[in-house]
Amino acid sequence: MDSPHGAAVKAEDFGLKGPRGWAFQGVGIDAAPGSLIAVEGPSGSGRTCLLLALTGRMKPTRGHAEVGGHRLPKRMAAVRRIAALGPVSGVNELDQALTVAEQLREGALLQRHYGAPVRAMLRPRAERRAVAEARIAAALEAAGLDLATLPKGGRTSVRDLERLESVRLSVAIALLGSPGLLALDDLDLKLSDTERAEAWDLLRSVAARGITVLAVCSEAPADAVVLRTSPKEPAAPDAPAVAESAADAGGPTEDDGKNDGENDTENDTTNDSENDDTKGADDALAEAGRA
């Protein structure tokens, strides 16, 4: 399988506002290619919206970001081409009606149709099939998913997979396209402590290949670059989310305090800020394009 250069991820005063409030705001990050980035926060704090915005699936309304040299929001399509998105509820999900083998073949077919050069489509069918099978095998190995260990092998239904097996399958499908950025939502959802550690080990191995990894979670590991979507202590609604190394957590972070003339609009969200932030995330996610 190809080993692409990872995509650097940068953002400054990055934010997205929905009809009833901010999904997230004031995000700043400067992560090198091949970084392990964790978006940490409770459910409803704008984690998924931030993930979708940084992968070019949701248009921000404030500030800017840059992924793999492509500036957001101006070059969202270019970012989508280099950023592979794992399952996101209502946006990009595994098909529970398929078997694991069918899901992998579908992923390979879509990658060949949309991501491969035209000349690859002109190869003989047997050659195309062999290339696809080789890519699937390499992706499965990188994701640590051995089909022989599943109850019915490749014929196991996706709906019958354990949660960690679903994560590994999602990673394998994402790696079929040799992305520069791999993004996963709700990584630690319904995982035991042991399974959570295995999931992070998997993502570390992906990052070690040079691919930048961005994962939403409720608790980030100590070696990740952390983006927090909610403050540790009660704060004003405009308190920014700033990337930091977990090793430096608790220390001072930079806030450029930039003001773009939206203070009057933002002041409308000062009452019931927690509810508004949650509603803003829900509204923004509901309006996201199905890219």
Side-chain angles (χ1 to χ4, degrees), residues 124-139:
R125 180 179 298 178
E127 183 179 347
R128 295 200 306 268
R129 183 182 301 113
V131 170
E133 290 176 352
R135 293 187 73 85
I136 288 173

Side-chain angles (χ1 to χ4, degrees), residues 38-263:
V39 180
E40 181 186 85
S43 179
S45 63
R47 305 176 309 174
T48 300
C49 291
L50 178 54
L51 178 102
L52 292 173
L54 287 174
T55 55
R57 272 80 176 180
M58 186 175 283
K59 188 174 182 179
T61 54
R62 180 171 178 173
H64 65 272
E66 189 175 290
V67 178
H70 303 298
R71 192 176 179 89
L72 294 170
K74 192 171 184 179
R75 303 197 64 194
M76 293 175 63
V79 171
R80 288 197 296 271
R81 284 194 291 270
I82 64 171
L85 185 66
V88 175
S89 180
V91 177
N92 183 45
E93 299 175 281
L94 294 174
D95 191 333
Q96 302 298 306
L98 298 180
T99 66
V100 171
E102 289 169 342
Q103 188 82 80
L104 287 163
R105 285 197 296 269
E106 181 182 87
L109 180 62
L110 289 172
Q111 173 56 35
R112 187 178 70 197
H113 184 74
Y114 293 106
V118 175
R119 63 178 179 275
M121 302 295 292
L122 302 178
R123 294 172 179 170
R125 180 179 298 178
E127 183 179 347
R128 295 200 306 268
R129 183 182 301 113
V131 170
E133 290 176 352
R135 293 187 73 85
I136 288 173
L140 287 171
E141 181 180 2
L145 182 60
D146 184 356
L147 298 187
T149 65
L150 301 179
K152 297 181 180 179
R155 294 184 293 107
T156 302
S157 175
V158 170
R159 69 166 63 92
D160 293 331
L161 294 177
E162 300 291 338
R163 167 63 182 163
L164 183 57
E165 291 170 341
S166 292
V167 171
R168 293 187 184 279
L169 176 60
S170 300
V171 170
I173 293 170
L175 293 179
L176 290 172
S178 301
L181 174 67
L182 168 64
L184 297 167
D185 193 29
D186 284 330
L187 176 69
D188 50 10
L189 179 68
K190 297 181 181 179
L191 294 181
S192 66
D193 291 343
T194 299
E195 291 171 333
R196 187 178 298 114
E198 289 185 43
W200 284 114
D201 283 343
L202 165 61
L203 297 192
R204 289 187 189 94
S205 70
V206 173
R209 292 170 173 265
I211 301 171
T212 304
V213 177
L214 178 67
V216 166
C217 62
S218 57
E219 184 176 353
D223 58 342
V225 176
V226 183
L227 272 173
R228 290 188 172 87
T229 54
S230 63
K232 297 178 183 177
E233 299 178 0
D238 291 343
V242 180
E244 58 184 29
S245 168
D248 297 331
T253 56
E254 291 185 2
D255 178 8
D256 59 14
K258 287 189 176 179
N259 203 322
D260 61 2
E262 296 185 0
N263 287 343

